[in-house]
């Protein structure tokens, strides 16, 4: 009755996030980036409407990230499988038409408009698994193996231990955490890109910490 553009009783949020956004910004000028992201949004909308026939719309809440919200009248295993199959095409189409890669995260169906925020948070959390799984992936919550979830939790604990050690001035604790992380990474990670991503994430956390203390990260 309020004229909302989305229709349905259940909603799924699909996040399409550009891999290595920093490199993307270096490669293209702002105007070109805007055109690419606009074209990517339209591609996602058309794919959803043509292949699924469901109500959908896109939004951009963060740089380099497109949120595709999909409305469904019924939420059953068959409908969810259809959604997953269609959004699973996004990775290949982006490689083909845009010469870059994206990570796609797919939330579970939620009930009503109020659930859309929750679904977005679910998808955002799933993007965190890119550190372990690598780029150019479709990450759906129901497909994540418990071992992958545990691996991420273990590595994140080690990262926090290192940062906390430095924050508390306990460099021995930080060094122990770093040594433990170096020992664990080969057990959980199978590609060099992900290894680099983990340590880049650690450096980013340290950078934020130092800035909070007013220290020049350089």
């Amino acid at each position: 009755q309020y004229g909302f553009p989305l229709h349905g009783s259940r909603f799924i949020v699909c996040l399409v996030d550009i891999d290595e956004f920093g490199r993307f910004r270096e490669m293209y000028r702002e105007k070109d980036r805007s055109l690419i992201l606009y074209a990517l949004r339209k591609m996602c909308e058309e794919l959803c409407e043509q292949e699924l026939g469901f109500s959908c719309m896109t939004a951009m809440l963060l740089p380099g990230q497109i949120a595709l919200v999909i409305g469904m009248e019924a939420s059953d295993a068959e409908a969810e499988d259809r959604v997953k199959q269609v959004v699973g095409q996004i990775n290949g189409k982006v490689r083909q038409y845009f010469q870059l890669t994206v990570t796609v995260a797919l939330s579970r169906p939620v009930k009503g408009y109020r659930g859309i925020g929750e679904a977005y948070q679910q998808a955002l959390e799933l993007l965190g698994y890119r550190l372990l799984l690598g780029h150019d992936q479709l990450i759906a919550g129901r497909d994540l193996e418990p071992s992958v979830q545990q691996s991420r939790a273990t590595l994140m604990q080690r990262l926090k231990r290192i940062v906390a050690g430095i924050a508390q001035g306990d460099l021995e604790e930080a060094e122990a955490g770093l040594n433990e992380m170096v020992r664990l990474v080969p057990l959980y990670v199978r590609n060099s890109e992900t290894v680099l991503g983990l340590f880049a994430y650690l450096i980013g956390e340290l950078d934020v910490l130092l800035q909070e203390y007013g220290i020049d990260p350089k």
Side-chain angles (χ1 to χ4, degrees):
Q1 81 197 64
Y2 293 106
F4 290 164
L6 276 173
H7 305 287
S9 60
R10 297 287 190 277
F11 298 96
I12 291 177
V13 172
C14 171
L15 292 183
V16 181
D17 199 79
I18 292 177
D19 295 325
E20 298 185 280
F21 183 68
R23 183 178 297 181
F24 174 71
R25 291 186 62 180
E26 291 175 358
M27 288 177 61
Y28 299 100
R29 294 176 299 177
E30 183 176 354
K31 181 179 180 181
D32 295 330
R33 292 198 304 268
S34 297
L35 289 172
I36 290 171
L37 288 168
Y38 176 79
L40 183 54
R41 284 182 69 172
K42 288 301 177 185
M43 187 202 77
C44 291
E45 290 174 358
E46 291 173 5
L47 184 66
C48 175
E49 291 170 353
Q50 294 173 6
E51 298 285 338
L52 284 173
F54 293 160
S55 171
C56 67
M57 65 179 295
T58 58
M60 287 188 61
L61 305 182
L62 294 173
Q65 182 186 103
I66 294 168
L68 174 65
V69 188
I70 302 168
M72 304 184 296
E73 290 303 334
S75 175
D76 51 33
E78 183 179 352
E80 290 181 47
D81 286 341
R82 282 183 61 202
V83 171
K84 182 185 173 187
Q85 184 179 13
V86 169
V87 301
Q89 300 177 37
I90 293 175
N91 298 84
K93 289 182 178 293
V94 170
R95 284 195 309 272
Q96 179 181 356
Y97 296 118
F98 299 96
Q99 285 78 53
L100 52 87
T101 65
V102 295
T103 295
V104 180
L106 190 64
S107 79
R108 298 186 302 274
V110 293
K111 186 177 180 180
Y113 289 108
R114 291 185 178 184
I116 292 175
E118 176 191 343
Y120 172 73
Q121 292 300 326
Q122 287 178 20
L124 204 58
E125 185 176 335
L126 289 173
L127 279 178
Y129 286 93
R130 172 166 47 189
L131 282 173
L132 273 184
L133 301 174
H135 295 166
D136 197 19
Q137 301 281 334
L138 168 62
I139 307 174
R142 66 177 187 171
D143 297 332
L144 277 178
E145 298 178 4
S147 60
V148 173
Q149 298 181 43
Q150 182 58 46
S151 298
R152 179 175 181 265
T154 300
L155 289 172
M156 289 301 104
Q157 288 171 1
R158 296 306 182 276
L159 280 167
K160 289 179 180 178
R161 180 183 175 187
I162 297 167
V163 176
I166 292 175
Q168 295 163 12
D170 189 345
L171 297 186
E172 288 186 4
E173 173 69 9
E175 184 177 1
L178 180 61
N179 289 335
E180 180 69 0
M181 183 174 162
V182 169
R183 184 185 70 81
L184 290 172
V185 163
L187 302 179
Y188 297 139
V189 180
R190 294 290 178 266
N191 62 81
S192 59
E193 180 183 80
T194 302
V195 175
L196 291 171
L198 280 166
F199 285 100
Y201 182 86
L202 172 60
I203 292 170
E205 289 291 300
L206 296 176
D207 188 289
V208 170
L209 176 69
L210 294 175
Q211 288 188 53
E212 288 177 353
Y213 287 148
I215 301 171
D216 183 358
K218 294 180 182 179

